[in-house]
Amino acid sequence: KQEVTQIPAALSVPEGENLVLNCSFTDSAIYNLQWFRQDPGKGLTSLLLIQSSQREQTSGRLNASLDKSSGRSTLYIAASQPGDSATYLCAGNSRQSNYKLTFGKGTLLTVNP
Amino acid sequence: NAGVTQTPKFQVLKTGQSMTLQCAQDMNHEYMSWYRQDPGMGLRLIHYSVGAGITDQGEVPNGYNVSRSTTEDFPLRLLSAAPSQTSVYFCASSYSWQGNEKLFFGSGTQLSVL
């Protein structure tokens, strides 16, 4: 069974810092990978999707990469802002899982002004 | 577009009661799914559907029932509520069941079973 680990579980940084969130999978045969953001009491919002033929995606200050050989993904946030404070979750699927997404438990990010 | 709409936002049930959580999407997505989110457990898939008339079980299906008679709607039924079903429930949808399109989530239903 696929398991997803996100490190660290919580992170607190000063405003303006560049930071990296990590995600790893026990089954390295990842097909597609998404990074989501969740604000308190809200649903999840998909930030970046790395499709099976891709290795990274960028949107504004966010960059996500996927190393399929090691089953690891990173989310890079440049010049962090207080508005980036949220929980960030990664989720991946594989042919073996019948394409069902498996979610990590998330990293709680706090950006201090 | 409204996106994915879930109702109600909050619900309190007594053990043994039944209820239906509603989910509707207006994006013509073929894939719809229900998750529950519990502290320390993350998001777990309950049931999913790859099109009208087609449903299948996820990781934690026991105690829940679904049907999909239209593309837009995917209700989740709790047959006989138990305290273990206290959770936050999310409905999600996507163009693709293979995960190669973004997954859109509703705002959630917070359910308490006493």
Side-chain angles (χ1 to χ4, degrees):
Chain A
K1 178 189 172 187
Q2 176 76 276
E3 292 185 3
V4 183
T5 302
Q6 290 193 244
I7 296 173
L11 181 64
S12 181
V13 301
E15 181 177 2
E17 190 162 300
N18 302 326
L19 58 100
V20 173
L21 307 180
N22 296 290
C23 175
S24 62
F25 299 82
T26 52
D27 178 3
S28 61
I30 300 299
Y31 191 62
N32 298 298
L33 182 131
Q34 287 191 55
W35 280 93
F36 295 86
R37 168 183 173 141
Q38 185 176 27
D39 293 289
K42 306 287 187 180
L44 282 70
T45 299
S46 181
L47 298 172
L48 293 165
L49 166 67
I50 303 177
Q51 296 177 334
S52 57
S53 60
Q54 300 170 330
R55 293 196 173 183
E56 68 174 330
Q57 280 290 329
T58 298
S59 176
R61 293 181 295 106
L62 305 179
N63 175 272
S65 64
L66 174 61
D67 181 349
K68 291 194 174 186
S69 63
S70 64
R72 295 185 177 186
S73 177
T74 59
L75 178 66
Y76 175 82
I77 302 177
S80 58
Q81 302 171 357
D84 295 330
S85 297
T87 297
Y88 291 81
L89 299 95
C90 65
N93 68 354
S94 64
R95 290 186 178 88
Q96 193 169 8
S97 71
N98 201 24
Y99 302 104
K100 287 179 280 191
L101 280 172
T102 301
F103 284 81
K105 296 179 181 178
T107 293
L108 175 61
L109 174 66
T110 303
V111 181
N112 301 300
Chain B
N1 288 345
V4 180
T5 302
Q6 287 185 239
T7 56
K9 291 190 181 301
F10 302 94
Q11 184 70 48
V12 179
L13 293 177
K14 295 181 180 179
T15 297
Q17 288 185 316
S18 62
M19 79 159 295
T20 299
L21 306 184
Q22 300 291 344
C23 176
Q25 53 88 12
D26 61 359
M27 297 173 282
N28 200 32
H29 286 169
E30 64 176 21
Y31 178 81
M32 296 186 74
S33 54
W34 278 100
Y35 291 88
R36 59 178 290 174
Q37 186 175 40
D38 302 289
M41 299 294 292
L43 276 155
R44 292 180 292 171
L45 181 64
I46 304 172
H47 284 287
Y48 65 99
S49 169
V50 298
I54 306 170
T55 64
D56 204 349
Q57 297 181 348
E59 182 183 356
V60 288
N62 292 341
Y64 307 95
N65 202 359
V66 293
S67 61
R68 185 135 178 235
S69 57
T70 67
T71 299
E72 294 79 18
D73 300 298
F74 190 45
L76 178 71
R77 299 180 186 84
L78 278 70
L79 308 173
S80 177
S84 62
Q85 294 178 305
T86 293
S87 187
V88 180
Y89 291 85
F90 290 101
C91 179
S93 72
S94 175
Y95 281 113
S96 167
W97 60 272
Q98 292 180 305
N100 55 359
E101 298 285 344
K102 285 190 173 184
L103 190 61
F104 291 81
F105 279 79
S107 57
T109 296
Q110 188 168 330
L111 176 67
S112 295
V113 183
L114 306 177

mmCIF file of all heavy atoms in Angstrom, chain B residues 5 15 18-19 27 29 31 48-49 55 58 62 64 78 108 111:
data_model
loop_
_atom_site.group_PDB
_atom_site.id
_atom_site.type_symbol
_atom_site.label_atom_id
_atom_site.label_comp_id
_atom_site.label_asym_id
_atom_site.label_seq_id
_atom_site.Cartn_x
_atom_site.Cartn_y
_atom_site.Cartn_z
ATOM 1 N N THR B 5 -20.004 22.198 -4.819
ATOM 2 C CA THR B 5 -20.843 22.703 -3.733
ATOM 3 C C THR B 5 -21.264 21.565 -2.821
ATOM 4 O O THR B 5 -21.828 20.572 -3.283
ATOM 5 C CB THR B 5 -22.100 23.387 -4.294
ATOM 6 O OG1 THR B 5 -21.703 24.450 -5.174
ATOM 7 C CG2 THR B 5 -22.931 23.974 -3.163
ATOM 8 N N THR B 15 -26.377 8.832 17.351
ATOM 9 C CA THR B 15 -26.026 7.474 16.914
ATOM 10 C C THR B 15 -27.261 6.758 16.384
ATOM 11 O O THR B 15 -28.318 6.776 17.006
ATOM 12 C CB THR B 15 -25.427 6.694 18.089
ATOM 13 O OG1 THR B 15 -24.205 7.331 18.493
ATOM 14 C CG2 THR B 15 -25.112 5.266 17.688
ATOM 15 N N SER B 18 -29.705 8.387 10.184
ATOM 16 C CA SER B 18 -29.168 8.368 8.832
ATOM 17 C C SER B 18 -29.253 9.773 8.259
ATOM 18 O O SER B 18 -30.050 10.598 8.717
ATOM 19 C CB SER B 18 -29.953 7.398 7.946
ATOM 20 O OG SER B 18 -31.300 7.817 7.849
ATOM 21 N N MET B 19 -28.420 10.046 7.293
ATOM 22 C CA MET B 19 -28.468 11.333 6.609
ATOM 23 C C MET B 19 -27.709 11.240 5.283
ATOM 24 O O MET B 19 -26.973 10.280 5.048
ATOM 25 C CB MET B 19 -27.881 12.451 7.456
ATOM 26 C CG MET B 19 -26.376 12.520 7.483
ATOM 27 S SD MET B 19 -25.766 14.146 7.954
ATOM 28 C CE MET B 19 -26.331 15.178 6.603
ATOM 29 N N MET B 27 -18.941 21.658 -13.443
ATOM 30 C CA MET B 27 -17.806 21.723 -14.359
ATOM 31 C C MET B 27 -17.799 20.560 -15.353
ATOM 32 O O MET B 27 -16.830 20.371 -16.076
ATOM 33 C CB MET B 27 -16.503 21.735 -13.542
ATOM 34 C CG MET B 27 -16.383 22.951 -12.651
ATOM 35 S SD MET B 27 -14.964 22.914 -11.534
ATOM 36 C CE MET B 27 -15.565 21.805 -10.270
ATOM 37 N N HIS B 29 -17.454 17.455 -14.781
ATOM 38 C CA HIS B 29 -16.398 16.504 -14.460
ATOM 39 C C HIS B 29 -16.927 15.088 -14.438
ATOM 40 O O HIS B 29 -17.997 14.812 -13.899
ATOM 41 C CB HIS B 29 -15.801 16.838 -13.087
ATOM 42 C CG HIS B 29 -14.930 18.037 -13.102
ATOM 43 N ND1 HIS B 29 -14.462 18.641 -11.939
ATOM 44 C CD2 HIS B 29 -14.414 18.768 -14.124
ATOM 45 C CE1 HIS B 29 -13.691 19.669 -12.261
ATOM 46 N NE2 HIS B 29 -13.661 19.768 -13.573
ATOM 47 N N TYR B 31 -15.180 12.533 -13.021
ATOM 48 C CA TYR B 31 -14.717 11.891 -11.794
ATOM 49 C C TYR B 31 -15.189 12.679 -10.583
ATOM 50 O O TYR B 31 -14.995 13.901 -10.511
ATOM 51 C CB TYR B 31 -13.192 11.811 -11.784
ATOM 52 C CG TYR B 31 -12.604 11.209 -10.519
ATOM 53 C CD1 TYR B 31 -12.555 9.826 -10.337
ATOM 54 C CD2 TYR B 31 -12.103 12.016 -9.511
ATOM 55 C CE1 TYR B 31 -12.022 9.275 -9.193
ATOM 56 C CE2 TYR B 31 -11.571 11.470 -8.357
ATOM 57 C CZ TYR B 31 -11.525 10.095 -8.202
ATOM 58 O OH TYR B 31 -11.006 9.543 -7.058
ATOM 59 N N TYR B 48 -15.837 6.585 -4.797
ATOM 60 C CA TYR B 48 -15.607 7.436 -5.946
ATOM 61 C C TYR B 48 -16.439 6.963 -7.131
ATOM 62 O O TYR B 48 -16.997 5.851 -7.120
ATOM 63 C CB TYR B 48 -14.117 7.488 -6.316
ATOM 64 C CG TYR B 48 -13.532 6.180 -6.782
ATOM 65 C CD1 TYR B 48 -13.379 5.913 -8.143
ATOM 66 C CD2 TYR B 48 -13.094 5.233 -5.867
ATOM 67 C CE1 TYR B 48 -12.822 4.718 -8.575
ATOM 68 C CE2 TYR B 48 -12.543 4.036 -6.287
ATOM 69 C CZ TYR B 48 -12.392 3.786 -7.632
ATOM 70 O OH TYR B 48 -11.854 2.595 -8.061
ATOM 71 N N SER B 49 -16.515 7.836 -8.132
ATOM 72 C CA SER B 49 -17.296 7.537 -9.332
ATOM 73 C C SER B 49 -16.553 8.065 -10.560
ATOM 74 O O SER B 49 -16.044 9.185 -10.543
ATOM 75 C CB SER B 49 -18.670 8.204 -9.239
ATOM 76 O OG SER B 49 -19.340 8.151 -10.478
ATOM 77 N N THR B 55 -19.907 3.555 -9.739
ATOM 78 C CA THR B 55 -19.298 3.909 -8.461
ATOM 79 C C THR B 55 -18.412 2.757 -7.994
ATOM 80 O O THR B 55 -18.579 1.618 -8.427
ATOM 81 C CB THR B 55 -20.351 4.213 -7.379
ATOM 82 O OG1 THR B 55 -21.105 3.027 -7.115
ATOM 83 C CG2 THR B 55 -21.283 5.332 -7.806
ATOM 84 N N GLY B 58 -13.588 3.106 -1.993
ATOM 85 C CA GLY B 58 -12.247 3.573 -1.712
ATOM 86 C C GLY B 58 -11.647 2.823 -0.543
ATOM 87 O O GLY B 58 -11.916 1.637 -0.344
ATOM 88 N N ASN B 62 -16.953 1.365 4.562
ATOM 89 C CA ASN B 62 -17.956 0.756 5.441
ATOM 90 C C ASN B 62 -18.790 1.816 6.147
ATOM 91 O O ASN B 62 -18.268 2.747 6.745
ATOM 92 C CB ASN B 62 -17.275 -0.148 6.462
ATOM 93 C CG ASN B 62 -16.672 -1.375 5.814
ATOM 94 O OD1 ASN B 62 -17.027 -1.742 4.705
ATOM 95 N ND2 ASN B 62 -15.747 -2.013 6.515
ATOM 96 N N TYR B 64 -21.042 3.682 4.618
ATOM 97 C CA TYR B 64 -21.396 4.734 3.661
ATOM 98 C C TYR B 64 -21.928 4.116 2.363
ATOM 99 O O TYR B 64 -21.507 3.037 1.965
ATOM 100 C CB TYR B 64 -20.184 5.597 3.315
ATOM 101 C CG TYR B 64 -19.455 6.185 4.482
ATOM 102 C CD1 TYR B 64 -18.340 5.535 5.019
ATOM 103 C CD2 TYR B 64 -19.850 7.391 5.059
ATOM 104 C CE1 TYR B 64 -17.642 6.065 6.084
ATOM 105 C CE2 TYR B 64 -19.158 7.931 6.127
ATOM 106 C CZ TYR B 64 -18.061 7.262 6.628
ATOM 107 O OH TYR B 64 -17.374 7.788 7.694
ATOM 108 N N LEU B 78 -25.022 8.227 4.916
ATOM 109 C CA LEU B 78 -24.645 7.513 6.125
ATOM 110 C C LEU B 78 -25.856 6.680 6.540
ATOM 111 O O LEU B 78 -26.929 7.224 6.805
ATOM 112 C CB LEU B 78 -24.256 8.479 7.248
ATOM 113 C CG LEU B 78 -22.838 9.033 7.208
ATOM 114 C CD1 LEU B 78 -22.662 9.995 6.043
ATOM 115 C CD2 LEU B 78 -22.489 9.696 8.523
ATOM 116 N N GLY B 108 -16.383 21.427 2.364
ATOM 117 C CA GLY B 108 -16.427 20.475 3.460
ATOM 118 C C GLY B 108 -17.693 20.499 4.272
ATOM 119 O O GLY B 108 -18.411 21.506 4.323
ATOM 120 N N LEU B 111 -19.140 16.947 10.452
ATOM 121 C CA LEU B 111 -20.175 16.070 11.002
ATOM 122 C C LEU B 111 -19.773 15.594 12.396
ATOM 123 O O LEU B 111 -18.670 15.094 12.589
ATOM 124 C CB LEU B 111 -20.382 14.859 10.098
ATOM 125 C CG LEU B 111 -21.368 13.804 10.610
ATOM 126 C CD1 LEU B 111 -22.780 14.366 10.639
ATOM 127 C CD2 LEU B 111 -21.300 12.543 9.769
#
